Amino acid sequence: MSNRFDQPGYNRDASIVNPKGQGEMTPGPQHGKARPAPGGPFLIGEAMTGGYGKGPDILHDCTISVDRGEIAVIVGPNGAGKSTAMKALFGMLNVRSGSVRLDGEDISDLSPQDRVQKGMGFVPQTNNIFTSMTVEENLEMGAFIRKDDISGTMEQVFELFPILKDKRDQAAGELSGGQRQQVAVGRALMTKPKVLMLDEPTAGVSPIVMDELFDRIIEVARTGLPVLMVEQNARQALAIADKGFVLVQGQNAHTGTGSELLADPEVRASFLGG
Amino acid sequence: MSVNWRNVSLFGLVGALILGSGFLQSWNVALVLLNMGLVSAIMSLGVNMQWGYAGLFNVGIMGFVALGGLAPVLVSMPPVGEAWAAGGVRAIGALIFAALVLIGAVQIWKRMAKGMARSLAMLVLLVAGFFIFRAIFDPAVDAIESVNPAGTGYLGGLGLPILLAWPVGGLLAAGAAWAIGKTALGLRSDYLAIATLGIAEIIIAVMKNEDWLARGVKNVVGLPRPVPYEVDLQNSASFVARMDAWGFDPVTSSSVVVKLGYAGLFAVVLLILIWMSQAALHSPWGRMMRAIRDNEVAAEAMGKDVTRRHLQVFILGSAVVGIAGAMMTTLDGQLTPGTYQPLRFTFLVWVMVIVGGSGNNWGAVLGGFLIWFFWVQVEPISHWLMGLVTSGMADGSAIKAHLLESTAHMRLLTMGVILLLVLRFSPRGLIPEE
Amino acid sequence: MELLNAIVAMSNYVLIPAIAYGSQLALGALGVTLVYGILRFSNFAHGDTMAFGAMVTILITWWFQSMGLSLGPLPTALLALPFGIVITALMMLATDRVVYRFYRRVKAKPIIFVMVSIGLMFILNGVVRFIVGPGEQFFADGERFIISARDFKDWTGLEEGLAFRTSQGITIVTAVIVVAALFWFLNRTRTGKSMRAFSDNEDLALLSGINPERVVMYTWLIVAALATIAGVLYGLDKTFKPFTYFQLLLPIFASAIVGGLGNPLGAIAGGFVIAFSEVTVTYAWKKVLGYLLPESLEPSGLVQLMSTDYKFAVSFAILVVVLLFKPTGLFKGKSV
């Protein structure tokens, strides 16, 4: 609806409107069903071209994939379309050509919510916890779609992130930056996802906390859960990655194992700063 | 400038509706529609400044209308000398004292260091000030109100020409708007809606209860007029002769002429205000206003003082509403505080602005006329419709009686439906912002 | 003895009425605050929703009374209340389907919802007046007093009587039960938690598989129940008149904002703060002071700080003071 009142900041009167926590997510136009498509990697977005809504294409023939037990990272300079590529996998983009397949099914036509049901665990970069709810409630909400007993999964999350167990009754908004990220990852794990997608999980945390988080992510991947993440800290991310995708201007510039990319002189020169 | 035929025809439609009422009902009805339509258009213009230019949500329009309405009494009624002698000076003195106490409290708050001492000093000043104020004020009020309570019982006005009351009404409303805006817009995230809602109720409460000011619910009647009285016209030989020559009944035509006189005055005010608002909207100031509205953050980053601009436009819009309020009291010839109700004077004006087209002055004017027309005519129309519906029912049946009786409430229902339909199908209003 | 008399007089004229009124405001403010927190706008139609709920309950009460149904000493309205809630809830769901849902689909900004609620306010106001008319309606029956002033005087031998009306007792008991149930629901049940999650972070709620339409539906159901209960209790305690309910909007909004919009605990606190200040400031303290002070100091005037006509001014002054010092309300609200 085109309307003047829809302009941002049209009215900031706190006594009548409450923009806090309002949804900003713009799902893509998809609303169809999944089709069987056996074979190929566990999760793959293949030759994706598209952009937000009717806007210009941001991704051009971009391919991202991850297999069981792997950590795949998407790296690249600012504005390369890293987060956009991940959002395309999650159905928040209008993907005009290409396809997304998960565990033998073509899910290109599913809405983001349906993709959650199919087993995609997504941790957004910001606003990724329920700040006013306790840690335990955050985890419970993560498991909202499950009808079975969730206490086992919660124990696993607490084993992975012991600090959360101590703070289970504290409001998540009162935690430190690193602890909040743990809650965010924990919430996504509570759905028992088939694949975990993290959008810049280490943005804004200290280097020590970053190392700690990467350790946990490796631990998660070792359980067999494929992990796909977008990272700003390319060097550290590629060091733990089984597979790396270097994007430049929405296109695959380099693809390979983490160590291959770290060793690639071209990648080093143009992107890792020598 | 190209002529926008769609908009012209919308105004043509409103004209036709009013003319139609003239032919079908009576010319007096049509002129009542026209006059209050003009007043409504001005109110709507004022609210449109606040909402359409700046995105400020004012739900206390009633308060500004009422304050404006107070002006004709204060300006044009003859002063009651006896009441002034009895307690006028004391009452005014008490009010000045109260104002000084408030200023003092604010100064204490600003000047003294933070801590218990400051809070205590302010509290003591306020409490002591309140009781001293009441001790001076209450007997003064009693004295004023006991002077001929059936006829006056208030201080009266200044005895000046009533047309002067219109700008004064605007000033009163502007003053209140300044006080409200200064408080509410200054808060971290503004609370203008609740602030205006509350102040409007308080203004009405004051006007209903402070009899010394304008007789409260006893009403002030017989305000002077800017146009001649019907009786004087009927007694004027030249008027009667001219009407006879034109073949009109002098009694009917006298009231038509009086109403036309009001219409002329109102139209002049409306035209001046439209011209001014259009000029303002297309001036650099107006462009800045809209830039702020459309992206407050960016405007603030560019160094615009958003709060100050908001305060400006809030005061201006309220002043326009106040002028309309003064005009309405003048038209009615009386001030009746009991008749100010939020549905009629706040939310109905909102319907006018939204239906007409927020952000567009012509839209607001159109909305004022159109919604006022429906507000008046829904009742007879629904009465007629209900007559058709119930014509099959037996006379004297309880349901029939109830239905016929209830048509008076159809206008609220209709306004709600119109508002929802416009919001749904034409959310930018009938004449959208360019 | 004098002190006891003063305490009794104060309870009779200040404490009990303020607690009852505070409970009514709290229930109303809870409805407003839930809509603000979850649907993200201030619902101007809330006062008229209360009027609608009360009206339906009154009509059913009259029907029950005509059939001779009663609850003995309790008002028949309590028997009609569940039916009133159900009908109001159906009305709310229908309005959501016909009106609000469209704007959620197009992701309209909250301010549009505010304007839509103004449209609904007009409609509900018109509907209520159309059905029962604008006048006062009486529907209270059963025992009028739990303790009457005369009985109290006889029992205690005090000069001052204490009256505790059934409607006040019912108001307080019902409010306690409703508030306890609501907090249990919001903090202990899966659905309640999902509502809080949606209020906190809509996007993340979606990512967690929470269905927004269900959250909205539950919100309207709870709001309908709260509004109907508040409306009926107010009507029993005072009187039912459509316009009065519309006017309750200001103290209810004030309560919700004073407490911190979007915070249920704040809504309750706000309701009592507003009610107590309104009643204390507009009560004529002459009688109480008369008992307490020696005869020489006895006040000659009414010792009423402000006339009852200014009760709105009191709610409003409290609101301004609270906001100046705590911009998000007494309890941290959603705003800012």
Side-chain angles (χ1 to χ4, degrees):
Chain A
M1 189 167 60
S2 116
N3 197 314
R4 284 243 83 103
F5 325 133
D6 276 6
Q7 301 290 344
Y10 192 97
N11 188 289
R12 53 167 189 163
D13 196 328
S15 60
I16 47 174
V17 294
N18 168 22
K20 206 181 161 228
Q22 198 187 15
E24 282 157 10
M25 220 166 60
T26 44
Q30 309 85 355
H31 44 79
K33 284 194 162 39
R35 293 182 303 270
F42 189 73
L43 169 70
I44 181 167
E46 196 165 36
M48 298 181 296
T49 299
Y52 291 103
K54 293 195 173 67
D57 284 349
I58 301 171
L59 297 180
H60 307 278
D61 202 16
C62 176
T63 298
I64 307 284
S65 68
V66 62
D67 250 314
R68 279 200 180 84
E70 271 186 357
I71 296 178
V73 299
I74 309 174
V75 293
N78 278 331
K82 304 186 293 286
S83 291
T84 312
M86 183 174 273
K87 284 179 182 159
L89 286 171
F90 193 60
M92 281 158 71
L93 216 64
N94 187 359
V95 178
R96 284 177 261 272
S97 72
S99 66
V100 182
R101 299 195 298 277
L102 172 69
D103 195 13
E105 278 186 305
D106 186 328
I107 57 166
S108 313
D109 290 339
L110 292 188
S111 66
Q113 287 100 300
D114 290 342
R115 291 180 202 214
V116 172
Q117 303 276 355
K118 283 282 175 199
M120 276 188 164
F122 182 68
V123 180
Q125 186 183 342
T126 53
N127 298 325
N128 50 19
I129 54 166
F130 298 112
T131 49
S132 65
M133 303 177 85
T134 66
V135 170
E136 191 172 345
E137 284 172 335
N138 266 275
L139 299 181
E140 275 177 54
M141 287 299 106
F144 191 80
I145 52 172
R146 287 173 55 185
K147 303 280 177 252
D148 54 337
D149 183 23
I150 61 167
S151 54
T153 321
M154 197 176 288
E155 277 314 310
Q156 285 171 357
V157 171
F158 284 148
E159 265 165 44
L160 190 62
F161 304 117
I163 187 79
L164 297 188
K165 189 164 190 172
D166 302 333
K167 308 220 170 207
R168 62 198 295 170
D169 292 323
Q170 205 167 325
E174 295 167 1
L175 301 182
S176 72
Q179 291 165 351
R180 281 163 170 247
Q181 291 302 65
Q182 296 185 5
V183 175
V185 175
R187 184 206 60 84
L189 289 175
M190 287 301 292
T191 46
K192 275 202 191 163
K194 288 181 189 167
V195 55
L196 182 63
M197 295 163 45
L198 307 164
D199 192 354
E200 299 205 16
T202 62
V205 303
S206 70
I208 300 168
V209 175
M210 183 172 81
D211 288 344
E212 160 97 24
L213 259 175
F214 279 154
D215 285 349
R216 296 285 164 268
I217 290 167
I218 295 170
E219 239 178 277
V220 170
R222 288 219 182 101
T223 63
L225 179 65
V227 176
L228 175 67
M229 62 179 171
V230 169
E231 257 303 327
Q232 194 71 257
N233 303 302
R235 198 181 288 274
Q236 291 87 336
L238 287 175
I240 64 159
D242 297 297
K243 208 187 272 171
F245 298 88
V246 180
L247 298 193
V248 175
Q249 292 185 330
Q251 285 172 314
N252 292 85
H254 307 275
T255 306
T257 66
S259 40
E260 273 169 15
L261 291 173
L262 279 175
D264 187 330
E266 206 183 321
V267 174
R268 292 172 69 104
S270 63
F271 177 62
L272 296 172
Chain B
M1 201 177 103
S2 68
V3 178
N4 185 332
W5 289 108
R6 186 175 167 274
N7 296 351
V8 171
S9 55
L10 280 170
F11 273 98
L13 173 76
V14 171
L17 285 175
I18 294 177
L19 283 177
S21 315
F23 282 111
L24 289 172
Q25 289 164 297
S26 81
W27 290 105
N28 263 319
V29 169
L31 283 170
V32 168
L33 277 173
L34 176 66
N35 282 338
M36 266 313 287
L38 286 161
V39 172
S40 304
I42 295 176
M43 287 180 192
S44 165
L45 204 57
V47 175
N48 182 44
M49 284 183 183
Q50 300 173 338
W51 171 244
Y53 294 14
L56 299 176
F57 202 83
N58 175 358
V59 264
I61 304 164
M62 170 181 76
F64 299 109
V65 174
L67 262 186
L70 183 62
V73 174
L74 299 185
V75 169
S76 71
M77 287 306 276
V80 182
E82 221 181 311
W84 274 98
V89 180
R90 269 187 296 159
I92 302 293
L95 287 175
I96 292 173
F97 171 77
L100 289 176
V101 168
L102 283 181
I103 293 170
V106 173
Q107 288 305 319
I108 288 181
W109 191 252
K110 279 188 179 158
R111 299 271 165 89
M112 280 178 71
K114 206 170 176 175
M116 275 296 278
R118 177 174 78 165
S119 311
L120 207 65
M122 196 176 80
L123 205 67
V124 168
L125 177 69
L126 284 177
V127 171
F130 179 77
F131 282 103
I132 297 173
F133 164 73
R134 288 287 297 264
I136 313 173
F137 190 64
D138 289 2
V141 164
D142 286 342
I144 295 169
E145 288 173 4
S146 58
V147 175
N148 184 15
T152 54
Y154 75 124
L155 289 174
L158 300 171
L160 296 169
I162 191 153
L163 281 183
L164 207 60
W166 297 1
V168 170
L171 284 178
L172 283 180
W178 176 80
I180 299 170
K182 208 67 183 146
T183 325
L185 292 172
L187 294 170
R188 187 136 53 111
S189 57
D190 68 49
Y191 284 90
L192 193 67
I194 187 74
T196 46
L197 191 71
I199 292 277
E201 290 294 345
I202 292 175
I203 291 175
I204 301 299
V206 168
M207 285 175 59
K208 276 185 185 166
N209 294 296
E210 300 304 314
D211 289 9
W212 60 272
L213 181 66
R215 305 197 73 224
V217 284
K218 289 186 282 182
N219 303 340
V220 175
V221 295
L223 290 170
R225 277 178 164 193
V227 293
Y229 283 86
E230 288 87 345
V231 188
D232 294 340
L233 286 179
Q234 288 158 27
N235 292 339
S236 140
S238 66
F239 177 80
V240 174
R242 189 173 303 163
M243 288 303 134
D244 277 341
W246 289 346
F248 292 132
D249 168 41
V251 176
T252 320
S253 51
S254 69
S255 94
V256 167
V257 164
V258 166
K259 290 197 172 70
L260 278 176
Y262 277 117
L265 286 172
F266 290 174
V268 168
V269 176
L270 177 64
L271 287 174
I272 293 174
L273 286 173
I274 288 190
W275 176 72
M276 283 167 61
S277 357
Q278 282 296 84
L281 189 62
H282 294 110
S283 70
W285 180 84
R287 278 196 293 277
M288 180 180 60
M289 248 13 266
R290 284 183 290 173
I292 290 176
R293 178 199 64 187
D294 290 348
N295 197 338
E296 212 169 277
V297 182
E300 210 147 32
M302 281 159 66
K304 311 283 184 214
D305 187 345
V306 173
T307 307
R308 211 181 135 78
R309 299 292 149 225
H310 276 169
L311 185 60
Q312 263 179 3
V313 83
F314 183 63
I315 292 174
L316 279 178
S318 302
V320 171
V321 172
I323 293 173
M327 289 162 61
M328 192 184 77
T329 311
T330 311
L331 177 67
D332 292 343
Q334 55 181 355
L335 178 68
T336 49
T339 55
Y340 289 101
Q341 294 195 347
L343 276 177
R344 158 72 184 88
F345 285 103
T346 294
F347 295 106
L348 190 67
V349 182
W350 266 104
V351 179
M352 292 171 181
V353 174
I354 294 169
V355 168
S358 19
N360 189 313
N361 291 320
W362 293 106
V365 170
L366 177 83
F369 278 110
L370 194 66
I371 293 302
W372 179 253
F373 175 84
F374 281 116
W375 180 256
V376 174
Q377 297 290 33
V378 159
E379 206 176 318
I381 293 172
S382 56
H383 202 81
W384 174 76
L385 276 177
M386 213 44 104
L388 279 187
V389 171
T390 55
S391 58
M393 297 182 191
D395 275 339
S397 93
I399 293 182
K400 180 173 182 171
H402 179 81
L403 284 177
L404 284 174
E405 214 176 276
S406 305
T407 52
H409 311 300
M410 289 301 280
R411 51 158 60 150
L412 293 170
L413 201 71
T414 317
M415 290 306 126
V417 171
I418 292 179
L419 180 60
L420 288 186
L421 287 177
V422 167
L423 279 175
R424 176 81 162 75
F425 296 106
S426 176
R428 299 180 60 194
L430 293 177
I431 307 184
E433 182 178 356
E434 301 103 59
Chain C
M1 215 35 128
E2 292 288 88
L3 183 69
L4 276 181
N5 272 323
I7 292 172
V8 169
M10 194 167 108
S11 312
N12 194 19
Y13 295 106
V14 178
L15 288 183
I16 295 177
I19 292 175
Y21 181 43
S23 310
Q24 291 147 10
L25 283 185
L27 291 177
L30 271 175
V32 167
T33 233
L34 278 182
V35 174
Y36 183 88
I38 295 167
L39 304 171
R40 300 191 156 73
F41 67 97
S42 288
N43 183 8
F44 277 82
H46 197 76
D48 289 298
T49 309
M50 281 167 61
F52 183 90
M55 175 197 73
V56 173
T57 310
I58 289 173
L59 294 178
I60 297 171
T61 306
W62 286 342
W63 182 48
F64 283 172
Q65 284 169 345
S66 73
M67 294 196 308
L69 272 175
S70 91
L71 277 178
L74 295 174
T76 315
L78 283 187
L79 202 60
L81 185 60
F83 299 92
I85 292 176
V86 169
I87 293 176
T88 312
L90 289 176
M91 185 277 290
M92 293 290 256
L93 291 183
T95 341
D96 185 70
R97 171 61 69 86
V98 178
V99 184
Y100 287 119
R101 195 172 68 166
F102 167 80
Y103 298 97
R104 281 201 300 281
R105 291 249 161 106
V106 299
K107 290 194 169 285
K109 287 278 178 292
I111 192 73
I112 305 272
F113 285 86
V114 175
M115 291 193 269
V116 168
S117 79
I118 290 178
L120 281 173
M121 174 184 82
F122 270 106
I123 292 179
L124 283 179
N125 206 300
V127 165
V128 171
R129 290 184 198 207
F130 187 81
I131 296 178
V132 291
E136 279 188 43
Q137 309 292 345
F138 299 95
F139 63 108
D141 54 6
E143 206 68 56
R144 230 174 96 64
F145 289 102
I146 295 174
I147 307 169
S148 81
R150 187 190 302 166
D151 290 347
F152 184 85
K153 281 189 211 168
D154 291 347
W155 291 336
T156 57
L158 285 173
E159 199 178 319
E160 194 59 40
L162 179 102
F164 190 44
R165 278 185 286 130
T166 317
S167 62
Q168 293 168 327
I170 289 176
T171 297
I172 296 165
V173 171
T174 316
V176 169
I177 295 173
V178 168
V179 167
L182 180 69
F183 277 83
W184 173 80
F185 176 78
L186 287 177
N187 292 317
R188 292 276 173 269
T189 67
R190 217 168 82 99
T191 311
K193 286 178 192 172
S194 74
M195 288 168 65
R196 281 167 52 218
F198 184 83
S199 160
D200 185 311
N201 187 334
E202 211 173 309
D203 283 343
L204 199 59
L206 274 171
L207 290 182
S208 307
I210 294 168
N211 181 355
E213 289 301 309
R214 281 188 82 81
V215 168
V216 170
M217 184 187 83
Y218 280 112
T219 309
W220 284 130
L221 289 179
I222 294 171
V223 168
L226 285 171
T228 309
I229 294 169
V232 170
L233 292 179
Y234 188 86
L236 277 177
D237 193 26
K238 301 190 166 82
T239 168
F240 176 83
K241 198 178 169 197
F243 185 63
T244 321
Y245 280 68
F246 169 76
Q247 283 200 310
L248 276 178
L249 210 54
L250 180 63
I252 284 178
F253 273 12
S255 309
I257 294 174
V258 161
L261 265 170
N263 185 325
L265 208 59
I268 297 165
F272 283 102
V273 167
I274 296 288
F276 267 90
S277 29
E278 264 188 31
V279 175
T280 6
V281 174
T282 56
Y283 173 62
W285 288 88
K286 180 181 168 65
K287 202 170 203 177
V288 175
L289 290 178
Y291 286 120
L292 288 179
L293 299 172
E295 214 148 307
S296 55
L297 278 175
E298 214 162 286
S300 54
L302 287 171
V303 205
Q304 186 184 18
L305 295 177
M306 279 202 201
S307 102
T308 36
D309 305 294
Y310 287 124
K311 57 175 198 266
F312 287 128
V314 179
S315 332
F316 189 67
I318 301 289
L319 179 72
V320 170
V321 170
V322 168
L323 288 184
L324 282 176
F325 295 97
K326 293 201 83 155
T328 51
L330 295 175
F331 291 71
K332 205 161 165 274
K334 292 270 167 207
S335 38
V336 179

